């Protein structure tokens, strides 16, 4: 009763003796996601994941942006501006060519005009001066990147797994009807930060092995009649499996208090006993890779014409990762609800309480 009073404000009622057991419940919140039927169809699970994504977006998006995207973006920005300073004449040529193609189109005449622009730019090009400038900038950039390397390693080992755990925890609580703030999500996983870090390290060899296996299978698929389609399917399935199992392992750790290799094994067992995980992951990564061409084109325009580091890809990742987490969380909660309940021997518990 203390827990009910603390969390829900239900007043305590004095009892003659200790009461324990399994009791019927009535759902008062008819819109609660926990009230949805278990073992739902794939469409219902996808819709539930989308609802969870929208409900927890205000917390999961800034967490993902801070922990997963911002550290890598800072490193990319340093490298990009170093390249811009080192190859400024080349960048000006690229701007002229890219602008010419955008203005005239990508036909043969536009290509010829672009080549004339390139040849005209090389007439006043000083090779020795450009090489000396490039060496100075590359040397300074290398020193700066080496100084940033410990920060990047610390972010990868501490900030990234903690942020992933905080985002998963926020979505887990959102299913229960509680919208956490940014700081509350981090406080919720503060005591298991070390376990989240260990779980993240445990998945490193798994990811390396999975990437190598997918690359090998995709290379072998190239010899088939429809090799490109098969290779693409293999890559999407591998991304869905590796990303889904890691999110699932974090969920297992937070809800079942199982960590390390035990959480990894439990995650793979759950993933391969429910087809919805793979289907949701493949749909998610197919859409993500399909939008990748447009996103990459936007970043190419920013890097060449706007002289800015790539922004579209980091923002897309920050928007997409919480959706993948929400899909995995929705399927996991449905799978957990469909599992047979744990039987409790009430007589045995009574004897223990009397002792």
């Amino acid at each position: 009763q203390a827990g009910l009073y603390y969390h829900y404000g239900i007043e305590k009622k004095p009892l003659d003796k200790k009461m324990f057991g399994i009791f019927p419940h009535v759902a008062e919140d008819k819109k609660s996601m926990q009230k949805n039927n278990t073992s739902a169809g794939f469409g219902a699970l996808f819709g539930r994941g989308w609802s969870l994504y929208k409900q927890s977006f205000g917390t999961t998006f800034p967490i993902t942006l801070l922990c997963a995207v911002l550290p890598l973006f800072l490193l990319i920005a340093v490298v990009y501006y170093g390249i811009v300073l080192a190859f400024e004449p080349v960048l000006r040529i690229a701007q002229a060519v890219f602008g010419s193609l955008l203005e005239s189109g990508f036909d043969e005449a536009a290509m010829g005009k672009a080549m004339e622009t390139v040849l005209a730019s090389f007439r006043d090009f000083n090779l020795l001066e450009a090489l000396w400038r490039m060496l100075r900038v590359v040397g300074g950039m290398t020193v700066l990147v080496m100084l940033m390397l410990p920060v990047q390693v610390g972010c990868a080992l501490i900030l990234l797994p903690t942020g992933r755990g905080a985002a998963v925890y926020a979505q887990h609580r959102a299913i229960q009807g509680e919208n956490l703030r940014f700081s509350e999500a981090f406080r919720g996983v503060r005591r298991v930060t070390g376990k989240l870090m260990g779980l993240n390290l445990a998945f490193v060899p798994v990811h390396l092995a999975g990437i190598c296996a997918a690359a090998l299978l995709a290379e072998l698929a190239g010899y088939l009649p429809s090799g490109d389609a098969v290779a693409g399917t293999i890559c999407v399935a591998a991304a869905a499996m590796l990303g889904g199992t890691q999110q699932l392992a974090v969920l297992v750790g937070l809800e079942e208090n199982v960590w390390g290799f035990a959480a990894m094994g439990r995650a793979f067992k759950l993933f391969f006993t429910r087809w919805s995980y793979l289907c949701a992951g493949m749909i998610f990564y197919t859409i993500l890779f399909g939008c990748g061409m447009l996103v990459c084109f936007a970043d190419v325009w920013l890097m060449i014409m706007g002289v800015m580091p790539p922004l579209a890809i980091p923002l897309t990742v920050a928007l997409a990762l919480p959706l993948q987490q929400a899909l995995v969380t929705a399927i996991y909660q449905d799978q957990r609800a469909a599992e047979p309940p744990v039987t409790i021997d009430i007589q045995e518990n009574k004897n223990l309480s009397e002792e």
Side-chain angles (χ1 to χ4, degrees):
Q1 295 192 59
L4 292 174
Y5 177 77
Y6 179 80
H7 290 287
Y8 303 103
I10 299 176
E11 296 292 338
K12 300 179 183 179
K13 295 183 180 180
L15 302 174
D16 297 333
K17 59 181 180 178
K18 183 178 180 180
M19 181 180 292
F20 51 87
I22 302 174
F23 307 98
H25 293 74
V26 177
E28 295 183 355
D29 184 4
K30 304 302 181 182
K31 297 182 179 180
S32 172
M33 284 186 283
Q34 288 183 307
K35 188 179 178 295
N36 293 339
N37 294 330
T38 59
S39 300
F42 178 73
L45 289 175
F46 203 94
R48 194 180 305 174
W50 179 254
S51 299
L52 177 59
Y53 171 71
K54 292 190 296 182
Q55 183 177 343
S56 60
F57 181 80
T59 304
T60 55
F61 174 71
I63 289 176
T64 307
L65 193 63
L66 173 65
C67 300
V69 176
L70 185 59
L72 186 59
F73 173 75
L74 292 177
L75 180 62
I76 293 174
V78 169
V79 174
Y80 169 76
Y81 282 118
I83 293 174
V84 167
L85 292 175
F87 299 95
E88 183 182 1
V90 179
L91 177 63
R92 290 178 179 175
I93 295 172
Q95 287 177 338
V97 171
F98 198 71
S100 177
L101 291 176
L102 289 177
E103 181 181 354
S104 305
F106 290 86
D107 55 5
E108 186 176 349
M111 295 291 183
K113 184 179 179 181
M115 288 303 299
E116 292 178 1
T117 304
V118 172
L119 293 175
S121 301
F122 273 107
R123 291 171 186 169
D124 300 327
F125 185 73
N126 191 328
L127 181 60
L128 293 178
E129 182 181 350
L131 287 175
W132 175 241
R133 179 177 182 173
M134 182 183 68
L135 289 174
R136 286 185 300 171
V137 174
V138 169
M141 183 183 65
T142 303
V143 173
L144 186 58
V145 170
M146 293 300 293
L147 291 175
M148 292 182 62
L149 191 59
V151 178
Q152 293 294 323
V153 172
C155 290
L157 294 179
I158 301 174
L159 190 61
L160 178 61
T162 305
R164 182 185 292 117
V168 172
Y169 179 71
Q171 290 184 345
H172 171 65
R173 296 297 293 269
I175 282 187
Q176 300 173 354
E178 184 178 0
N179 292 325
L180 299 181
R181 293 192 296 269
F182 182 85
S183 58
E184 292 174 338
F186 277 100
R187 283 200 298 266
V189 297
R190 182 175 52 189
R191 295 182 179 180
V192 294
T193 300
K195 296 177 181 180
L196 289 168
M197 292 167 55
L199 187 61
N200 185 61
L201 289 175
F203 265 95
V204 171
V206 176
H207 282 185
L208 292 176
I211 292 171
C212 292
L216 179 61
L217 291 174
E219 183 67 24
L220 294 175
Y223 296 99
L224 298 175
S226 302
D228 293 340
V230 175
T233 304
I234 292 173
C235 293
V236 170
M241 184 189 70
L242 295 175
T245 50
Q246 187 161 10
Q247 302 293 345
L248 198 52
V250 175
L251 262 175
V252 168
L254 292 176
E255 181 152 324
E256 303 178 28
N257 198 25
V258 178
W259 297 97
F261 291 103
M264 186 188 301
R266 170 76 171 153
F268 276 100
K269 180 180 178 182
L270 291 173
F271 187 89
F272 288 109
T273 54
R274 186 72 180 266
W275 60 270
S276 302
Y277 289 113
L278 183 60
C279 290
M282 292 190 68
I283 291 175
F284 169 78
Y285 280 103
T286 300
I287 296 173
L288 187 62
F289 292 159
C291 298
M293 295 297 295
L294 182 61
V295 173
C296 290
F297 182 82
D299 271 340
V300 168
W301 187 90
L302 281 175
M303 288 188 293
I304 295 178
M305 306 302 294
V307 196
M308 295 177 61
L311 292 173
I313 292 178
L315 286 176
T316 303
V317 171
L319 290 169
L321 282 181
L323 177 58
Q324 183 196 18
Q325 294 170 357
L327 294 173
V328 172
T329 301
I331 299 171
Y332 172 79
Q333 294 296 339
D334 182 80
Q335 189 175 18
R336 287 275 290 172
E339 289 179 351
V342 179
T343 57
I344 301 175
D345 192 339
I346 298 179
Q347 184 63 34
E348 181 181 351
N349 288 350
K350 181 179 180 181
N351 296 335
L352 290 175
S353 62
E354 290 176 353
E355 293 177 2

